[in-house]
PDB file of all heavy atoms in Angstrom:
ATOM      1  N   PRO A   1     -62.014 -19.067 -20.639  1.00  0.00           N
ATOM      2  CA  PRO A   1     -62.900 -17.898 -20.709  1.00  0.00           C
ATOM      3  C   PRO A   1     -64.364 -18.265 -20.469  1.00  0.00           C
ATOM      4  O   PRO A   1     -65.121 -17.479 -19.888  1.00  0.00           O
ATOM      5  CB  PRO A   1     -62.694 -17.379 -22.140  1.00  0.00           C
ATOM      6  CG  PRO A   1     -61.347 -17.871 -22.533  1.00  0.00           C
ATOM      7  CD  PRO A   1     -61.205 -19.207 -21.872  1.00  0.00           C
ATOM      8  N   GLN A   2     -64.744 -19.474 -20.875  1.00  0.00           N
ATOM      9  CA  GLN A   2     -66.119 -19.937 -20.648  1.00  0.00           C
ATOM     10  C   GLN A   2     -66.395 -20.161 -19.164  1.00  0.00           C
ATOM     11  O   GLN A   2     -67.492 -19.879 -18.674  1.00  0.00           O
ATOM     12  CB  GLN A   2     -66.369 -21.229 -21.432  1.00  0.00           C
ATOM     13  CG  GLN A   2     -66.323 -21.081 -22.936  1.00  0.00           C
ATOM     14  CD  GLN A   2     -67.458 -20.235 -23.467  1.00  0.00           C
ATOM     15  OE1 GLN A   2     -68.582 -20.287 -22.946  1.00  0.00           O
ATOM     16  NE2 GLN A   2     -67.184 -19.444 -24.486  1.00  0.00           N
ATOM     17  N   ILE A   3     -65.394 -20.671 -18.444  1.00  0.00           N
ATOM     18  CA  ILE A   3     -65.542 -20.873 -16.999  1.00  0.00           C
ATOM     19  C   ILE A   3     -65.796 -19.538 -16.307  1.00  0.00           C
ATOM     20  O   ILE A   3     -66.664 -19.426 -15.422  1.00  0.00           O
ATOM     21  CB  ILE A   3     -64.285 -21.549 -16.406  1.00  0.00           C
ATOM     22  CG1 ILE A   3     -64.131 -22.978 -16.923  1.00  0.00           C
ATOM     23  CG2 ILE A   3     -64.334 -21.530 -14.873  1.00  0.00           C
ATOM     24  CD1 ILE A   3     -65.231 -23.935 -16.495  1.00  0.00           C
ATOM     25  N   TYR A   4     -65.050 -18.502 -16.691  1.00  0.00           N
ATOM     26  CA  TYR A   4     -65.278 -17.176 -16.107  1.00  0.00           C
ATOM     27  C   TYR A   4     -66.728 -16.732 -16.323  1.00  0.00           C
ATOM     28  O   TYR A   4     -67.335 -16.108 -15.450  1.00  0.00           O
ATOM     29  CB  TYR A   4     -64.338 -16.144 -16.735  1.00  0.00           C
ATOM     30  CG  TYR A   4     -62.960 -16.087 -16.121  1.00  0.00           C
ATOM     31  CD1 TYR A   4     -61.868 -16.642 -16.776  1.00  0.00           C
ATOM     32  CD2 TYR A   4     -62.742 -15.469 -14.893  1.00  0.00           C
ATOM     33  CE1 TYR A   4     -60.588 -16.582 -16.232  1.00  0.00           C
ATOM     34  CE2 TYR A   4     -61.481 -15.398 -14.336  1.00  0.00           C
ATOM     35  CZ  TYR A   4     -60.395 -15.961 -15.005  1.00  0.00           C
ATOM     36  OH  TYR A   4     -59.144 -15.897 -14.452  1.00  0.00           O
ATOM     37  N   ARG A   5     -67.282 -17.038 -17.480  1.00  0.00           N
ATOM     38  CA  ARG A   5     -68.630 -16.586 -17.807  1.00  0.00           C
ATOM     39  C   ARG A   5     -69.717 -17.290 -16.994  1.00  0.00           C
ATOM     40  O   ARG A   5     -70.863 -16.839 -16.982  1.00  0.00           O
ATOM     41  CB  ARG A   5     -68.893 -16.786 -19.307  1.00  0.00           C
ATOM     42  CG  ARG A   5     -68.063 -15.863 -20.184  1.00  0.00           C
ATOM     43  CD  ARG A   5     -68.329 -16.091 -21.652  1.00  0.00           C
ATOM     44  NE  ARG A   5     -67.541 -15.187 -22.488  1.00  0.00           N
ATOM     45  CZ  ARG A   5     -67.625 -15.129 -23.809  1.00  0.00           C
ATOM     46  NH1 ARG A   5     -68.454 -15.935 -24.462  1.00  0.00           N
ATOM     47  NH2 ARG A   5     -66.877 -14.279 -24.479  1.00  0.00           N
ATOM     48  N   THR A   6     -69.359 -18.381 -16.320  1.00  0.00           N
ATOM     49  CA  THR A   6     -70.338 -19.033 -15.438  1.00  0.00           C
ATOM     50  C   THR A   6     -70.463 -18.317 -14.100  1.00  0.00           C
ATOM     51  O   THR A   6     -71.402 -18.544 -13.352  1.00  0.00           O
ATOM     52  CB  THR A   6     -69.951 -20.500 -15.156  1.00  0.00           C
ATOM     53  OG1 THR A   6     -68.749 -20.539 -14.370  1.00  0.00           O
ATOM     54  CG2 THR A   6     -69.760 -21.282 -16.445  1.00  0.00           C
ATOM     55  N   GLY A   7     -69.502 -17.440 -13.787  1.00  0.00           N
ATOM     56  CA  GLY A   7     -69.458 -16.803 -12.469  1.00  0.00           C
ATOM     57  C   GLY A   7     -70.432 -15.652 -12.319  1.00  0.00           C
ATOM     58  O   GLY A   7     -70.768 -14.963 -13.288  1.00  0.00           O
ATOM     59  N   THR A   8     -70.866 -15.446 -11.084  1.00  0.00           N
ATOM     60  CA  THR A   8     -71.617 -14.246 -10.714  1.00  0.00           C
ATOM     61  C   THR A   8     -70.643 -13.182 -10.218  1.00  0.00           C
ATOM     62  O   THR A   8     -70.845 -11.990 -10.419  1.00  0.00           O
ATOM     63  CB  THR A   8     -72.628 -14.563  -9.607  1.00  0.00           C
ATOM     64  OG1 THR A   8     -73.445 -15.658 -10.016  1.00  0.00           O
ATOM     65  CG2 THR A   8     -73.502 -13.348  -9.289  1.00  0.00           C
ATOM     66  N   MET A   9     -69.587 -13.644  -9.563  1.00  0.00           N
ATOM     67  CA  MET A   9     -68.556 -12.769  -9.025  1.00  0.00           C
ATOM     68  C   MET A   9     -67.266 -13.566  -8.915  1.00  0.00           C
ATOM     69  O   MET A   9     -67.274 -14.796  -9.005  1.00  0.00           O
ATOM     70  CB  MET A   9     -68.960 -12.221  -7.656  1.00  0.00           C
ATOM     71  CG  MET A   9     -69.166 -13.307  -6.605  1.00  0.00           C
ATOM     72  SD  MET A   9     -69.295 -12.655  -4.925  1.00  0.00           S
ATOM     73  CE  MET A   9     -67.630 -12.033  -4.688  1.00  0.00           C
ATOM     74  N   PHE A  10     -66.155 -12.856  -8.709  1.00  0.00           N
ATOM     75  CA  PHE A  10     -64.856 -13.493  -8.538  1.00  0.00           C
ATOM     76  C   PHE A  10     -64.329 -13.159  -7.150  1.00  0.00           C
ATOM     77  O   PHE A  10     -64.538 -12.043  -6.653  1.00  0.00           O
ATOM     78  CB  PHE A  10     -63.875 -12.980  -9.589  1.00  0.00           C
ATOM     79  CG  PHE A  10     -62.544 -13.684  -9.575  1.00  0.00           C
ATOM     80  CD1 PHE A  10     -62.351 -14.845 -10.304  1.00  0.00           C
ATOM     81  CD2 PHE A  10     -61.481 -13.195  -8.828  1.00  0.00           C
ATOM     82  CE1 PHE A  10     -61.126 -15.506 -10.297  1.00  0.00           C
ATOM     83  CE2 PHE A  10     -60.258 -13.847  -8.803  1.00  0.00           C
ATOM     84  CZ  PHE A  10     -60.086 -15.003  -9.543  1.00  0.00           C
ATOM     85  N   ALA A  11     -63.637 -14.108  -6.524  1.00  0.00           N
ATOM     86  CA  ALA A  11     -63.111 -13.864  -5.178  1.00  0.00           C
ATOM     87  C   ALA A  11     -61.729 -14.484  -5.014  1.00  0.00           C
ATOM     88  O   ALA A  11     -61.453 -15.573  -5.522  1.00  0.00           O
ATOM     89  CB  ALA A  11     -64.058 -14.433  -4.129  1.00  0.00           C
ATOM     90  N   THR A  12     -60.872 -13.768  -4.307  1.00  0.00           N
ATOM     91  CA  THR A  12     -59.559 -14.275  -3.949  1.00  0.00           C
ATOM     92  C   THR A  12     -59.146 -13.645  -2.625  1.00  0.00           C
ATOM     93  O   THR A  12     -59.522 -12.510  -2.338  1.00  0.00           O
ATOM     94  CB  THR A  12     -58.505 -13.963  -5.029  1.00  0.00           C
ATOM     95  OG1 THR A  12     -57.218 -14.413  -4.579  1.00  0.00           O
ATOM     96  CG2 THR A  12     -58.424 -12.470  -5.312  1.00  0.00           C
ATOM     97  N   ALA A  13     -58.366 -14.397  -1.836  1.00  0.00           N
ATOM     98  CA  ALA A  13     -57.844 -13.864  -0.572  1.00  0.00           C
ATOM     99  C   ALA A  13     -56.326 -13.807  -0.595  1.00  0.00           C
ATOM    100  O   ALA A  13     -55.689 -13.626   0.446  1.00  0.00           O
ATOM    101  CB  ALA A  13     -58.327 -14.725   0.597  1.00  0.00           C
ATOM    102  N   SER A  14     -55.739 -13.936  -1.784  1.00  0.00           N
ATOM    103  CA  SER A  14     -54.281 -13.960  -1.917  1.00  0.00           C
ATOM    104  C   SER A  14     -53.656 -12.644  -1.463  1.00  0.00           C
ATOM    105  O   SER A  14     -54.136 -11.558  -1.796  1.00  0.00           O
ATOM    106  CB  SER A  14     -53.904 -14.247  -3.372  1.00  0.00           C
ATOM    107  OG  SER A  14     -52.508 -14.141  -3.548  1.00  0.00           O
ATOM    108  N   LYS A  15     -52.528 -12.772  -0.739  1.00  0.00           N
ATOM    109  CA  LYS A  15     -51.804 -11.600  -0.235  1.00  0.00           C
ATOM    110  C   LYS A  15     -50.477 -11.398  -0.956  1.00  0.00           C
ATOM    111  O   LYS A  15     -49.670 -10.564  -0.547  1.00  0.00           O
ATOM    112  CB  LYS A  15     -51.535 -11.781   1.269  1.00  0.00           C
ATOM    113  CG  LYS A  15     -52.791 -11.890   2.118  1.00  0.00           C
ATOM    114  CD  LYS A  15     -52.469 -12.218   3.562  1.00  0.00           C
ATOM    115  CE  LYS A  15     -52.049 -13.669   3.712  1.00  0.00           C
ATOM    116  NZ  LYS A  15     -51.877 -14.067   5.136  1.00  0.00           N
ATOM    117  N   THR A  16     -50.232 -12.164  -2.023  1.00  0.00           N
ATOM    118  CA  THR A  16     -48.907 -12.157  -2.642  1.00  0.00           C
ATOM    119  C   THR A  16     -48.954 -11.841  -4.133  1.00  0.00           C
ATOM    120  O   THR A  16     -48.147 -12.345  -4.912  1.00  0.00           O
ATOM    121  CB  THR A  16     -48.223 -13.524  -2.444  1.00  0.00           C
ATOM    122  OG1 THR A  16     -49.024 -14.547  -3.054  1.00  0.00           O
ATOM    123  CG2 THR A  16     -48.033 -13.832  -0.975  1.00  0.00           C
ATOM    124  N   GLU A  17     -49.893 -10.994  -4.560  1.00  0.00           N
ATOM    125  CA  GLU A  17     -50.018 -10.688  -5.987  1.00  0.00           C
ATOM    126  C   GLU A  17     -49.270  -9.403  -6.351  1.00  0.00           C
ATOM    127  O   GLU A  17     -49.434  -8.375  -5.694  1.00  0.00           O
ATOM    128  CB  GLU A  17     -51.496 -10.523  -6.366  1.00  0.00           C
ATOM    129  CG  GLU A  17     -52.365 -11.740  -6.057  1.00  0.00           C
ATOM    130  CD  GLU A  17     -51.947 -12.979  -6.822  1.00  0.00           C
ATOM    131  OE1 GLU A  17     -51.461 -12.848  -7.970  1.00  0.00           O
ATOM    132  OE2 GLU A  17     -52.085 -14.090  -6.273  1.00  0.00           O
ATOM    133  N   THR A  18     -48.455  -9.472  -7.414  1.00  0.00           N
ATOM    134  CA  THR A  18     -47.850  -8.260  -7.946  1.00  0.00           C
ATOM    135  C   THR A  18     -48.795  -7.580  -8.937  1.00  0.00           C
ATOM    136  O   THR A  18     -48.564  -6.453  -9.352  1.00  0.00           O
ATOM    137  CB  THR A  18     -46.521  -8.552  -8.654  1.00  0.00           C
ATOM    138  OG1 THR A  18     -46.728  -9.563  -9.645  1.00  0.00           O
ATOM    139  CG2 THR A  18     -45.469  -9.011  -7.653  1.00  0.00           C
ATOM    140  N   GLN A  19     -49.842  -8.264  -9.321  1.00  0.00           N
ATOM    141  CA  GLN A  19     -50.952  -7.688 -10.082  1.00  0.00           C
ATOM    142  C   GLN A  19     -52.168  -8.611 -10.018  1.00  0.00           C
ATOM    143  O   GLN A  19     -53.205  -8.242  -9.510  1.00  0.00           O
ATOM    144  CB  GLN A  19     -50.583  -7.419 -11.547  1.00  0.00           C
ATOM    145  CG  GLN A  19     -51.731  -6.758 -12.331  1.00  0.00           C
ATOM    146  CD  GLN A  19     -51.327  -6.363 -13.730  1.00  0.00           C
ATOM    147  OE1 GLN A  19     -50.713  -7.135 -14.461  1.00  0.00           O
ATOM    148  NE2 GLN A  19     -51.693  -5.147 -14.128  1.00  0.00           N
ATOM    149  N   GLY A  20     -52.031  -9.816 -10.512  1.00  0.00           N
ATOM    150  CA  GLY A  20     -53.127 -10.766 -10.505  1.00  0.00           C
ATOM    151  C   GLY A  20     -53.818 -10.837 -11.859  1.00  0.00           C
ATOM    152  O   GLY A  20     -54.827 -10.163 -12.086  1.00  0.00           O
ATOM    153  N   ILE A  21     -53.263 -11.651 -12.772  1.00  0.00           N
ATOM    154  CA  ILE A  21     -53.854 -11.776 -14.098  1.00  0.00           C
ATOM    155  C   ILE A  21     -55.279 -12.288 -14.014  1.00  0.00           C
ATOM    156  O   ILE A  21     -56.156 -11.878 -14.785  1.00  0.00           O
ATOM    157  CB  ILE A  21     -52.981 -12.690 -14.991  1.00  0.00           C
ATOM    158  CG1 ILE A  21     -51.705 -11.945 -15.405  1.00  0.00           C
ATOM    159  CG2 ILE A  21     -53.744 -13.132 -16.238  1.00  0.00           C
ATOM    160  CD1 ILE A  21     -50.767 -12.745 -16.278  1.00  0.00           C
ATOM    161  N   VAL A  22     -55.553 -13.167 -13.038  1.00  0.00           N
ATOM    162  CA  VAL A  22     -56.915 -13.699 -12.921  1.00  0.00           C
ATOM    163  C   VAL A  22     -57.922 -12.601 -12.582  1.00  0.00           C
ATOM    164  O   VAL A  22     -59.080 -12.658 -13.008  1.00  0.00           O
ATOM    165  CB  VAL A  22     -56.985 -14.838 -11.875  1.00  0.00           C
ATOM    166  CG1 VAL A  22     -56.261 -16.077 -12.383  1.00  0.00           C
ATOM    167  CG2 VAL A  22     -56.457 -14.397 -10.522  1.00  0.00           C
ATOM    168  N   LEU A  23     -57.491 -11.606 -11.824  1.00  0.00           N
ATOM    169  CA  LEU A  23     -58.378 -10.473 -11.523  1.00  0.00           C
ATOM    170  C   LEU A  23     -58.689  -9.686 -12.799  1.00  0.00           C
ATOM    171  O   LEU A  23     -59.828  -9.256 -13.018  1.00  0.00           O
ATOM    172  CB  LEU A  23     -57.747  -9.563 -10.481  1.00  0.00           C
ATOM    173  CG  LEU A  23     -57.741 -10.089  -9.044  1.00  0.00           C
ATOM    174  CD1 LEU A  23     -56.780  -9.281  -8.177  1.00  0.00           C
ATOM    175  CD2 LEU A  23     -59.142 -10.060  -8.437  1.00  0.00           C
ATOM    176  N   LEU A  24     -57.682  -9.503 -13.636  1.00  0.00           N
ATOM    177  CA  LEU A  24     -57.901  -8.815 -14.906  1.00  0.00           C
ATOM    178  C   LEU A  24     -58.864  -9.610 -15.790  1.00  0.00           C
ATOM    179  O   LEU A  24     -59.762  -9.042 -16.423  1.00  0.00           O
ATOM    180  CB  LEU A  24     -56.569  -8.611 -15.634  1.00  0.00           C
ATOM    181  CG  LEU A  24     -55.496  -7.786 -14.926  1.00  0.00           C
ATOM    182  CD1 LEU A  24     -54.262  -7.666 -15.817  1.00  0.00           C
ATOM    183  CD2 LEU A  24     -56.013  -6.417 -14.536  1.00  0.00           C
ATOM    184  N   GLU A  25     -58.660 -10.916 -15.838  1.00  0.00           N
ATOM    185  CA  GLU A  25     -59.535 -11.763 -16.652  1.00  0.00           C
ATOM    186  C   GLU A  25     -60.971 -11.734 -16.135  1.00  0.00           C
ATOM    187  O   GLU A  25     -61.932 -11.691 -16.926  1.00  0.00           O
ATOM    188  CB  GLU A  25     -58.997 -13.202 -16.665  1.00  0.00           C
ATOM    189  CG  GLU A  25     -57.677 -13.337 -17.412  1.00  0.00           C
ATOM    190  CD  GLU A  25     -57.014 -14.694 -17.258  1.00  0.00           C
ATOM    191  OE1 GLU A  25     -57.437 -15.475 -16.368  1.00  0.00           O
ATOM    192  OE2 GLU A  25     -56.060 -14.977 -18.009  1.00  0.00           O
ATOM    193  N   ALA A  26     -61.126 -11.724 -14.820  1.00  0.00           N
ATOM    194  CA  ALA A  26     -62.468 -11.658 -14.226  1.00  0.00           C
ATOM    195  C   ALA A  26     -63.137 -10.322 -14.548  1.00  0.00           C
ATOM    196  O   ALA A  26     -64.320 -10.280 -14.926  1.00  0.00           O
ATOM    197  CB  ALA A  26     -62.384 -11.863 -12.714  1.00  0.00           C
ATOM    198  N   MET A  27     -62.401  -9.228 -14.396  1.00  0.00           N
ATOM    199  CA  MET A  27     -62.954  -7.905 -14.708  1.00  0.00           C
ATOM    200  C   MET A  27     -63.369  -7.809 -16.168  1.00  0.00           C
ATOM    201  O   MET A  27     -64.423  -7.257 -16.500  1.00  0.00           O
ATOM    202  CB  MET A  27     -61.922  -6.827 -14.385  1.00  0.00           C
ATOM    203  CG  MET A  27     -61.734  -6.563 -12.902  1.00  0.00           C
ATOM    204  SD  MET A  27     -60.268  -5.528 -12.592  1.00  0.00           S
ATOM    205  CE  MET A  27     -60.643  -4.062 -13.564  1.00  0.00           C
ATOM    206  N   ALA A  28     -62.539  -8.374 -17.061  1.00  0.00           N
ATOM    207  CA  ALA A  28     -62.842  -8.325 -18.488  1.00  0.00           C
ATOM    208  C   ALA A  28     -64.104  -9.112 -18.817  1.00  0.00           C
ATOM    209  O   ALA A  28     -64.783  -8.824 -19.808  1.00  0.00           O
ATOM    210  CB  ALA A  28     -61.664  -8.876 -19.281  1.00  0.00           C
ATOM    211  N   THR A  29     -64.420 -10.086 -17.970  1.00  0.00           N
ATOM    212  CA  THR A  29     -65.621 -10.891 -18.171  1.00  0.00           C
ATOM    213  C   THR A  29     -66.830 -10.248 -17.497  1.00  0.00           C
ATOM    214  O   THR A  29     -67.937 -10.780 -17.553  1.00  0.00           O
ATOM    215  CB  THR A  29     -65.399 -12.325 -17.631  1.00  0.00           C
ATOM    216  OG1 THR A  29     -64.095 -12.783 -18.009  1.00  0.00           O
ATOM    217  CG2 THR A  29     -66.405 -13.305 -18.204  1.00  0.00           C
ATOM    218  N   GLY A  30     -66.613  -9.130 -16.824  1.00  0.00           N
ATOM    219  CA  GLY A  30     -67.712  -8.411 -16.195  1.00  0.00           C
ATOM    220  C   GLY A  30     -68.051  -8.869 -14.794  1.00  0.00           C
ATOM    221  O   GLY A  30     -69.146  -8.608 -14.297  1.00  0.00           O
ATOM    222  N   LEU A  31     -67.100  -9.530 -14.128  1.00  0.00           N
ATOM    223  CA  LEU A  31     -67.367 -10.032 -12.777  1.00  0.00           C
ATOM    224  C   LEU A  31     -66.917  -9.032 -11.712  1.00  0.00           C
ATOM    225  O   LEU A  31     -65.768  -8.584 -11.721  1.00  0.00           O
ATOM    226  CB  LEU A  31     -66.635 -11.359 -12.540  1.00  0.00           C
ATOM    227  CG  LEU A  31     -66.942 -12.512 -13.484  1.00  0.00           C
ATOM    228  CD1 LEU A  31     -66.238 -13.777 -13.010  1.00  0.00           C
ATOM    229  CD2 LEU A  31     -68.443 -12.759 -13.589  1.00  0.00           C
ATOM    230  N   PRO A  32     -67.788  -8.684 -10.766  1.00  0.00           N
ATOM    231  CA  PRO A  32     -67.348  -7.938  -9.581  1.00  0.00           C
ATOM    232  C   PRO A  32     -66.332  -8.787  -8.814  1.00  0.00           C
ATOM    233  O   PRO A  32     -66.426 -10.025  -8.824  1.00  0.00           O
ATOM    234  CB  PRO A  32     -68.635  -7.755  -8.768  1.00  0.00           C
ATOM    235  CG  PRO A  32     -69.747  -8.008  -9.728  1.00  0.00           C
ATOM    236  CD  PRO A  32     -69.230  -8.989 -10.725  1.00  0.00           C
ATOM    237  N   CYS A  33     -65.382  -8.156  -8.158  1.00  0.00           N
ATOM    238  CA  CYS A  33     -64.304  -8.897  -7.493  1.00  0.00           C
ATOM    239  C   CYS A  33     -64.250  -8.588  -5.997  1.00  0.00           C
ATOM    240  O   CYS A  33     -64.414  -7.440  -5.585  1.00  0.00           O
ATOM    241  CB  CYS A  33     -62.958  -8.539  -8.112  1.00  0.00           C
ATOM    242  SG  CYS A  33     -62.802  -8.954  -9.856  1.00  0.00           S
ATOM    243  N   VAL A  34     -63.988  -9.614  -5.202  1.00  0.00           N
ATOM    244  CA  VAL A  34     -63.651  -9.447  -3.797  1.00  0.00           C
ATOM    245  C   VAL A  34     -62.210  -9.912  -3.628  1.00  0.00           C
ATOM    246  O   VAL A  34     -61.846 -11.008  -4.062  1.00  0.00           O
ATOM    247  CB  VAL A  34     -64.589 -10.258  -2.884  1.00  0.00           C
ATOM    248  CG1 VAL A  34     -64.034 -10.312  -1.459  1.00  0.00           C
ATOM    249  CG2 VAL A  34     -65.985  -9.647  -2.874  1.00  0.00           C
ATOM    250  N   ALA A  35     -61.386  -9.053  -3.051  1.00  0.00           N
ATOM    251  CA  ALA A  35     -59.973  -9.369  -2.869  1.00  0.00           C
ATOM    252  C   ALA A  35     -59.494  -8.722  -1.579  1.00  0.00           C
ATOM    253  O   ALA A  35     -60.277  -8.072  -0.869  1.00  0.00           O
ATOM    254  CB  ALA A  35     -59.167  -8.872  -4.065  1.00  0.00           C
ATOM    255  N   VAL A  36     -58.217  -8.889  -1.256  1.00  0.00           N
ATOM    256  CA  VAL A  36     -57.682  -8.313  -0.024  1.00  0.00           C
ATOM    257  C   VAL A  36     -56.696  -7.206  -0.346  1.00  0.00           C
ATOM    258  O   VAL A  36     -56.018  -7.224  -1.375  1.00  0.00           O
ATOM    259  CB  VAL A  36     -57.011  -9.384   0.867  1.00  0.00           C
ATOM    260  CG1 VAL A  36     -58.026 -10.438   1.284  1.00  0.00           C
ATOM    261  CG2 VAL A  36     -55.828 -10.037   0.170  1.00  0.00           C
ATOM    262  N   ASP A  37     -56.631  -6.226   0.540  1.00  0.00           N
ATOM    263  CA  ASP A  37     -55.792  -5.044   0.336  1.00  0.00           C
ATOM    264  C   ASP A  37     -54.362  -5.347   0.768  1.00  0.00           C
ATOM    265  O   ASP A  37     -53.883  -4.885   1.797  1.00  0.00           O
ATOM    266  CB  ASP A  37     -56.367  -3.872   1.127  1.00  0.00           C
ATOM    267  CG  ASP A  37     -55.748  -2.550   0.703  1.00  0.00           C
ATOM    268  OD1 ASP A  37     -55.007  -2.543  -0.298  1.00  0.00           O
ATOM    269  OD2 ASP A  37     -56.012  -1.533   1.366  1.00  0.00           O
TER     270      ASP A  37
END
C-alpha cells in the first residue's frame, strides 16, 4: 500500500483482465489510471 502512495498515476496495458485487482487498489489510493479498453 505504501508503494501505491508513491505514485502520481497508475498505468497498465494488459488486455487479459477479468477485473484487475491492481486497478482497484490504485483507485482506492487515489491514483488516476490509464488502461486499455
